[in-house]
């Protein structure tokens, strides 16, 4: 049965942005390569066109997909009775879905198509409650800038393992985070080959206050995980505590192969700071040694919690470590994990917070500067109607070094053009000059990596695009 409150497709397709019909494959075309998955799908403050009367719905934005020939459109799909159904097609990277029920949650995803009719893999899924759309009457004045949401969600608490009987699956559960507006999702990170990496996860929220996630990894292997909550404005929570989980082997083997060690070491306990040593800007940590069935002394991996993740402080063959380079007088939280010769991991120790000794300073984050030699490319894609517009901006690092901290700059050609509100950056305007500065969570752009940001704007008369963009004072190429 259809989702309650979802209008017929013909009604929805007639509202909001212009519909681009899917192109039919060219006669004799040999293109069989599908587009890539679209970039991150998220709820964004995309307004309705003036006088559109869109009522209640959800506005969506996503990153552009790529294709060997060219992407011709995107299908926006909604989940109904467990199955995704396409409800509209658009050529842009944003869409409004109207005719929904106020307060009811809907789950969406997007796929890209090319001229040959090839469909790419789906984007991530986004669940969003329907609300009043922000279409304004033609006589209404331009909207005032909305306050920027800089309040992060609360950190996920109670992260623990959850048994999922799927080969290679690692299940996790935690208590839902809260936010001053709404939590838009969670990112799951796993310790793989000496580094934490974000991993794809199937995330669901049952009726209670719990969240469940299923991650597909190597069967029988131990992993460390942490989770970060995020909101639609791009704010990230503090990370959860670390937890160990072993990816399921299903069906289970009758017994391990002879000589195969699958037993993890004991859990480290007693993590504490040790006094009596002068370590300006540092801490001396010690903990109780653990035993392992192999009889070989375990190694210890020490982790320090950061604003949105964990820093690896190194491997130790004895149950102690000195951590330096910290800011004196500031508290830092640590966890330690034991590891045996077979790669089995213990459960992490309980978190322990220590205050760095006075005298040290933390290394400051690199400041944006014109001398950094930033190499960049910017794509500016506006969707315009009478008196208002939405612009999607893509920044790509075309250089060979990471950009650590960025400020995007451009000027509107006309004094009547202005930014009303934006996302994924701190947007400011003075006269015709506009700047967008990074948040802490997206301040680094690796070589070849692209960031997607955007804003809503107002104008009168014409709405020409900016002629040039700079990043940290350096000119970017435009596409």
């Amino acid at each position: 049965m259809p989702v309650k409150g979802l209008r017929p497709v013909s009604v929805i397709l007639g509202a909001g942005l212009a519909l681009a019909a899917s192109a039919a494959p060219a006669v004799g075309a040999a293109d069989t390569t599908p587009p890539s998955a679209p970039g991150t799908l998220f709820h964004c403050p995309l307004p309705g066109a003036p006088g559109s009367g869109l009522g209640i719905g959800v506005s969506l934005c996503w990153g552009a997909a790529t294709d060997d020939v060219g992407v011709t459109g995107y299908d926006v799909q909604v989940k109904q009775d467990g199955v995704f159904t396409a409800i509209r097609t658009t050529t842009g990277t944003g869409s409004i879905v109207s005719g929904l029920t106020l307060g009811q949650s809907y789950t969406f995803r997007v796929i890209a198509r090319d001229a040959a009719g090839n469909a790419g893999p789906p984007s991530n899924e986004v669940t969003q409650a329907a609300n009043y759309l922000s279409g304004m009457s033609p006589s209404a004045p331009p909207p005032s800038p909305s306050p920027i949401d800089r309040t992060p969600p609360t950190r996920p608490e109670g992260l623990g393992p959850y048994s999922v009987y799927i080969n290679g699956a690692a299940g996790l559960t935690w208590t839902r985070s809260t936010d001053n507006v709404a939590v838009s999702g969670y990112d799951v990170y796993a310790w793989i080959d000496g580094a934490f990496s974000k991993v794809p996860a199937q995330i669901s929220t049952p009726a209670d206050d719990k969240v469940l996630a299923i991650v597909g990894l190597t069967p029988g292997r131990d992993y460390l995980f942490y989770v970060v909550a995020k909101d639609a404005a791009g704010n990230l929570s503090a990370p959860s505590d670390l937890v160990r989980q072993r990816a399921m082997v299903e069906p289970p083997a009758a017994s391990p192969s002879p000589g195969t060690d699958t037993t993890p070491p004991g859990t480290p306990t007693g993590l504490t700071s040790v006094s009596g040593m002068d370590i300006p800007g540092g801490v001396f940590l010690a903990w109780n040694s653990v035993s392992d069935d192999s009889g070989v002394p375990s190694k210890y991996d020490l982790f320090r919690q950061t604003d949105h993740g964990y820093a690896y402080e190194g491997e130790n063959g004895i149950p102690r470590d000195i951590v330096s380079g910290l800011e004196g007088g500031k508290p830092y939280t640590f966890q330690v994990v034991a590891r045996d010769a077979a790669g089995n991991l213990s459960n992490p120790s309980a978190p322990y917070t220590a205050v760095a000794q006075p005298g040290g300073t933390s290394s400051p984050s690199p400041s944006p500067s014109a001398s950094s030699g930033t190499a960049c490319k910017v794509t500016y894609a506006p969707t315009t109607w009478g008196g208002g517009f939405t612009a999607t901006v893509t920044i790509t690092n075309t250089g060979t070094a990471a950009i650590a901290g960025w400020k995007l700059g451009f000027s509107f050609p006309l004094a009547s053009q202005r930014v009303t509100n934006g996302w994924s950056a701190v947007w400011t305007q003075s006269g015709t000059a506009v700047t967008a500065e990074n948040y802490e969570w997206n301040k680094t752009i690796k070589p070849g990596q692209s960031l997607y940001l955007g804003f809503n704007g107002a104008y009168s008369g014409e709405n020409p695009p900016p002629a040039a963009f700079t990043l940290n004072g350096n000119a970017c190429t435009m596409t």
Side-chain angles (χ1 to χ4, degrees), residues 313-417:
E313 295 294 349
E315 175 190 282
N316 298 275
I318 55 176
R320 62 182 63 92
D321 196 2
I322 294 175
V323 181
S324 58
L326 307 177
E327 183 176 350
K330 181 178 178 180
Y332 294 87
T333 299
F334 300 88
Q335 285 182 270
V336 63
V337 177
R339 171 171 43 88
D340 66 18
N344 299 303
L345 302 179
S346 74
N347 290 320
S349 69
Y352 174 74
T353 299
V355 177
Q357 293 184 23
T361 56
S362 59
S363 299
S365 300
S367 300
S369 65
S371 62
S372 61
T374 302
C376 51
K377 178 178 69 176
V378 172
T379 300
Y380 181 83
T383 300
T384 303
W385 56 89
F389 67 104
T390 294
T392 300
V393 182
T394 305
I395 306 172
T396 302
N397 180 356
T398 58
T400 58
I403 299 171
W406 51 267
K407 179 187 286 188
L408 179 73
F410 64 89
S411 292
F412 285 126
L414 303 177
S416 60
Q417 296 170 291

Side-chain angles (χ1 to χ4, degrees), residues 254-297:
S255 61
S257 302
T260 301
D261 179 8
T262 60
T263 303
T267 302
T269 59
L271 178 60
T272 188
S273 56
V274 179
S275 59
M277 182 179 294
D278 187 21
I279 312 171
V283 293
F284 184 9
L285 298 171
W287 54 92
N288 299 323
S289 60
V290 301
S291 60
D292 184 65
D293 63 335
S294 67
V296 177

Side-chain angles (χ1 to χ4, degrees), residues 63 76 104 109 131 136 161 226 229 268 295 299 315 368 418:
V76 180
Q104 183 169 320
R109 72 181 187 185
N131 208 334
M136 57 186 179
Y226 71 85
K299 302 289 187 180
E315 175 190 282
R418 66 186 183 90

